[in-house]
Amino acid sequence: MEKKDLGKLGFQSLCCHAGQHADPQTGAHNTPIYQTSTFAFKNVQDGADKFAGEKEGYIYTRLGNPTQSALEEKMAALEGAEAAIATASGMSAISASVMAVAYAGDHILAHDCLYGCTHSLMEEILPRYGIEVTFADLSDLDNVDEYLQDNTKLVYLETPSNPTLNLVDIEEISKKAHAAGAKVIVDNTFMTPYLQNPLALGADMVVHSATKYIGGHGDAIAGIIAGKEEMLAEIRMTTLKDFGGIISPFNAWLLLRGLKTLPIRVDKHTENAKEVAEFLEAHDKVERVFYPGLESHPQHDLAKKQASGFGSMISFELKGGYDAGEKMMNNVNLATLAVSLGDVDTLIQHPASMTHAPVPREERLAAGITDGLVRISIGIEDVEDIIADLDNSLSVLADVEEDESLATV
């Protein structure tokens, strides 16, 4: 059957229809799960043509799969990209894209506040292969000028950053990086293509931990890379194929299912987050709230400029440091004490003891990830129930005195 002509559909319509084509064999409306490792050839010439790239088709699921292709087509449409690649995890997407751009002798300029495993990749793994990495606060554009080098091949950033909700100006950094001959990769996990489009702002590639909002239900591990066809074709046939970080057909199918409700979910997530952030900002046990949707956020105007919404990730600094964070985590009830984010239900965690524990404390503090910082992914529950749970868990901190040594640096 022929593919649908999608024309200029709106975002929700693309979520429902992009990449979805009735199965040519059975007419199945939803994309089937092609749970197979390999594909049969009609004859020797058919196989030879496919291996040579002269004929479209499937060879082996590590090289591509129809369920995966449907997901990639949908994600490319949502990101406004020429192409997309689905991978086994967010870290697979990050490592495959970064190592396709930077080689031995090259330099990467990275934002100084990144997801813990991304930071470890940059600090510990890449230098083993002769790739130099400099971490800097890229929210200060002067640092971009200062730390770009003649051999800088990549500027890598998250915005908002994990977990401090610090913002980076994608458009301005892209201009500076391109003038220096470097590419820009943006981790768009927190915002999704529904709220923020880094490619439209000048970035070269976008990566996602699709485990989060793209899947949306906490039941699949996956990653996404989106960008120009030429660059992604190189990734597909080198760092993805040879390192082997491929997505399973079943997980690709789960993401296809989750994406159909992405805007509906994100709207509710964001609506709840605004109310929760306002509640936390007024609470006497909370030192400071980091949420771009609050006017008190120092980059509130930038958030409005480069995104169509503020997302549902909130971080807040407790009075009382590490002990307060630990005590609060042990007293939540509705919220689930768990890492990850973007699930339909509320997840809460303590970065100093969990996601960012691998980061040396000095570096963690320098990036604003203090011992009393709490990160919460706001779900789609009744917001009154979320607030009541947080209020109850904060009430146990009455006897915790603030530790001045752990104050925000």
Side-chain angles (χ1 to χ4, degrees), residues 305-354:
K305 171 189 169 186
Q306 69 181 19
S308 61
F310 303 112
S312 59
M313 296 302 300
I314 302 172
S315 288
F316 54 98
E317 178 71 29
L318 292 172
K319 296 177 180 178
Y322 193 100
D323 290 343
E326 183 178 57
K327 194 165 187 179
M328 182 185 179
M329 294 303 96
N330 287 334
N331 282 277
V332 292
N333 181 41
L334 175 77
T336 301
L337 178 56
V339 295
S340 197
L341 54 106
D343 206 337
V344 289
D345 49 309
T346 298
L347 305 177
I348 193 167
Q349 67 106 354
H350 182 222
S353 64
M354 298 176 185

Side-chain angles (χ1 to χ4, degrees), residues 43-267:
N43 50 50
V44 171
Q45 189 60 52
D46 180 48
D49 290 344
K50 288 175 180 174
F51 267 102
E54 297 172 357
K55 183 178 181 180
E56 290 187 0
Y58 298 96
I59 298 170
Y60 187 62
T61 286
R62 181 158 52 84
L63 308 177
N65 178 285
T67 315
Q68 174 185 347
S69 295
L71 172 61
E72 292 170 346
E73 185 178 340
K74 190 182 292 288
M75 282 304 306
L78 298 180
E79 283 288 2
E82 292 180 3
I85 296 174
T87 72
S89 67
M91 284 310 305
S92 173
I94 292 165
S95 58
S97 57
V98 167
M99 295 191 75
V101 173
Y103 296 16
D106 290 341
H107 173 254
I108 294 173
L109 177 57
H111 192 36
D112 64 355
C113 187
L114 299 172
Y115 169 56
C117 291
T118 307
H119 187 280
S120 295
L121 171 71
M122 299 280 186
E123 183 173 62
E124 299 174 16
I125 306 299
L126 295 184
R128 299 180 192 175
Y129 298 91
I131 300 171
E132 179 189 1
V133 181
T134 299
F135 295 96
D137 178 5
L138 300 186
S139 64
D140 182 345
L141 293 174
D142 289 340
N143 285 336
V144 183
D145 296 324
E146 180 177 353
Y147 293 109
L148 280 171
Q149 301 176 182
D150 291 341
N151 63 335
T152 302
K153 292 297 189 293
L154 173 65
V155 177
Y156 183 93
L157 56 101
E158 297 171 3
T159 183
S161 62
N162 184 2
T164 61
L165 281 297
N166 176 253
L167 271 63
V168 177
D169 191 324
I170 300 170
E171 186 172 19
E172 290 304 314
I173 282 192
S174 296
K175 290 176 182 177
K176 291 177 179 291
H178 293 159
K183 295 187 182 299
V184 176
I185 296 178
V186 177
D187 184 333
N188 201 31
T189 299
F190 274 22
M191 298 302 284
T192 82
Y194 180 53
L195 298 180
Q196 181 171 269
N197 299 106
L199 298 178
L201 294 170
D204 298 285
M205 282 188 279
V206 170
V207 293
H208 290 270
S209 172
T211 309
K212 314 306 193 291
Y213 295 99
I214 301 301
H217 293 77
D219 53 11
I221 300 290
I224 295 290
I225 310 168
K228 291 189 179 298
E229 174 65 45
E230 183 179 2
M231 186 72 250
L232 267 64
E234 180 179 345
I235 292 170
R236 190 186 298 277
M237 297 309 295
T238 56
T239 51
L240 182 64
K241 174 179 72 72
D242 296 333
F243 287 164
I246 62 161
I247 192 171
S248 74
F250 182 59
N251 280 354
W253 180 84
L254 287 172
L255 266 61
L256 282 167
R257 182 194 62 172
L259 275 166
K260 291 189 177 185
T261 60
L262 177 66
I264 298 168
R265 288 186 284 107
V266 171
D267 281 342

